[in-house]
Amino acid sequence: MTDTLELAIALINRRSLTPDDAGCQALMCQRLARIGFSIETLRYGDVDNVWARRGSAAPLFAFAGHTDVVPTGPREQWSSDPFVAEVRDGYLYGRGAADMKGSLAAMVTATERFVATHPKHRGSIAFLITSDEEGPSINGTRKVVEHLEARGDKIDWCLVGEPSSLQVVGDVIKNGRRGSLNGLLTVHGVQGHIAYPQLSDNPVHRAAPALAELVSETWDHGNAFFPPTSFQISNIQAGTGADNVIPGALTVMFNFRFSSELTAEQLKSRTEAMLARHGLNYTLDWRLSGNPFLTRPGELVAAVTAAISEESGVTADLSTSGGTSDGRFIAPTGAQVVEVGPVNATIHKIDECVHASDLDRLSRIYQQTLTRLLG
């Protein structure tokens, strides 16, 4: 039972369903305070956040992560209590084992060892921890970054502990993410009896050609760092449930995952132009979850890549695939941002787990990164 595994177990045992931190941050801060970190608690709404920093000089390296977890799903389908961590056959089971309490434990123990060997390290180390990553992401990292920017605290390098790996710890480094733009489209018609369509206006029929065009559109071709922009309909609903009523409205929820070839405003404009060409009577509400960001090869990518090569024996691939992360709030400040974490095969699933030895390997990767940048 290593220090990293013990801490991961202690964190998993705290039932921190988003946005409840359930004492996870306090547990981490107790250990960080013992090695010289100043602790700043920042609560916005119902969200607990922490900014912990050791040192005051530049450059500033920050670990970023979240203590909140998603709901467990049907408890009876789990092999063991999701909030009572259990090690079986070399795997650590529990909600958050991979996403991302294992990473948080690895960050803390890596920093403890680094400070022990480099008590007078150059620059500063910080932890930006939230309990709002799995929720709306309004009162978490976004607000903390605004607070830091307002007083002039600038992060140079940021390592986010999201589970990035596919098969071996460190085989993938996320050095960026696509943008995410959500739309809620309501197409208005006229409800009526299905036997008298001339007295009604069916919004499903009206919208179908426009939706087909949106689905088949080539929005861009991507670039060297990002795949092509994708458009996906996630929900579509119309009707009263009766089989003899023409619906009065159709609602469609959709999402763009977009590359750096396009802006959110360009996507909005092109979408609205398509809808207008089809003569629809509609309303459309937009919600931007985040713009695309990219960290090109530089000091941070080089340090993390070398650390992974030394500890895992693999050459990491750089990738911008997958969903969004809190890196989208940190990168716009000018910070170099990467995501490195455990294997992501079971995240958000029943019986979420991570190989116990992977957490120790991850901790050593984090320590090596600190050594290369601040040692």
Side-chain angles (χ1 to χ4, degrees):
M1 187 70 71
T2 65
D3 285 347
T4 304
L5 184 56
E6 285 185 351
L7 181 54
I9 288 172
L11 291 171
I12 292 169
N13 289 348
R14 285 160 169 77
R15 193 175 184 275
S16 57
L17 287 169
T18 188
D20 186 8
D21 167 70
C24 293
Q25 293 172 15
L27 178 63
M28 296 173 62
C29 288
Q30 289 173 5
R31 297 179 68 143
L32 293 175
R34 287 200 293 265
I35 56 173
F37 278 78
S38 59
I39 309 297
E40 185 177 0
T41 57
L42 300 165
R43 185 174 176 86
Y44 301 108
D46 59 353
V47 175
D48 289 308
N49 306 283
V50 162
W51 174 251
R53 179 166 178 166
R54 187 181 199 273
S56 57
L60 172 56
F61 175 96
F63 285 113
H66 61 91
T67 54
D68 59 319
V69 297
V70 297
T72 64
R75 167 64 185 87
E76 64 276 9
Q77 294 184 18
W78 284 71
S79 301
S80 57
D81 190 328
F83 293 108
V84 178
E86 186 173 305
V87 179
R88 299 194 305 272
D89 301 320
Y91 284 85
L92 172 64
Y93 288 82
R95 177 57 88 220
D99 188 14
M100 57 175 288
K101 292 181 175 181
S103 297
L104 295 178
M107 291 173 181
V108 172
T109 58
T111 304
E112 289 172 335
R113 294 193 306 275
F114 173 75
V115 169
T117 55
H118 299 84
K120 297 182 178 180
H121 60 81
R122 76 186 191 99
S124 304
I125 310 171
F127 279 70
L128 195 170
I129 309 299
T130 184
S131 61
D132 185 39
E133 198 274 346
E134 300 289 10
S137 298
I138 294 173
N139 290 319
T141 300
R142 182 199 302 261
K143 286 284 182 68
V144 176
V145 168
E146 291 173 357
H147 174 74
L148 297 176
E149 285 286 289
R151 70 184 190 192
D153 283 0
K154 301 294 291 187
I155 299 172
D156 296 285
W157 304 306
C158 181
L159 193 157
V160 185
E162 289 293 337
S164 62
S165 305
L166 295 179
Q167 295 178 321
V168 178
V169 172
D171 59 1
V172 174
I173 298 170
K174 301 286 188 182
N175 66 320
R177 293 281 189 162
R178 295 173 294 173
S180 179
L181 176 65
N182 300 285
L184 175 59
L185 171 68
T186 303
V187 180
H188 306 285
V190 177
Q191 182 175 314
H193 197 292
I194 208 160
Y196 301 95
Q198 71 276 14
L199 301 178
S200 304
D201 184 4
N202 194 321
V204 178
H205 295 185
R206 291 277 191 184
L211 295 178
E213 186 176 348
L214 287 166
V215 169
S216 61
E217 175 75 358
T218 299
W219 299 92
D220 62 33
H221 297 284
N223 54 38
F225 301 101
F226 290 93
T229 293
S230 69
F231 171 89
Q232 290 291 318
I233 294 173
S234 58
N235 291 271
I236 187 165
Q237 196 272 326
T240 64
D243 62 4
N244 61 352
V245 179
I246 291 173
L250 167 73
T251 59
V252 181
M253 296 176 65
F254 61 84
N255 174 269
F256 286 102
R257 292 300 165 105
F258 61 103
S259 77
S260 55
E261 293 293 301
L262 292 170
T263 66
E265 292 307 315
Q266 288 173 317
L267 289 171
K268 292 178 185 179
S269 177
R270 287 173 61 179
T271 301
E272 291 167 6
M274 273 188 209
L275 297 175
R277 285 199 302 272
H278 288 272
L280 300 182
N281 177 17
Y282 73 91
T283 55
L284 178 53
D285 296 316
W286 294 101
R287 181 173 60 85
L288 178 65
S289 296
N291 284 305
F293 69 90
L294 178 72
T295 294
R296 296 176 182 272
E299 305 102 327
L300 181 58
V301 169
V304 174
T305 300
I308 290 170
S309 177
E310 182 170 336
E311 295 298 337
S312 288
V314 297
T315 300
D317 291 326
L318 298 180
S319 171
T320 60
S321 65
T324 59
S325 78
D326 275 1
R328 69 189 188 273
F329 304 125
I330 302 167
T333 69
Q336 297 178 34
V337 179
V338 298
E339 301 169 28
V340 181
V343 173
N344 58 23
T346 64
I347 59 174
H348 291 205
K349 291 184 177 182
I350 301 294
D351 278 350
E352 179 181 351
C353 64
V354 63
H355 204 288
S357 64
D358 282 354
L359 297 185
D360 293 311
R361 180 176 292 114
L362 186 63
S363 181
R364 293 193 297 270
I365 289 170
Y366 291 165
Q367 181 184 359
Q368 281 284 347
T369 302
L370 285 170
T371 301
R372 292 173 186 278
L373 291 173
L374 299 180

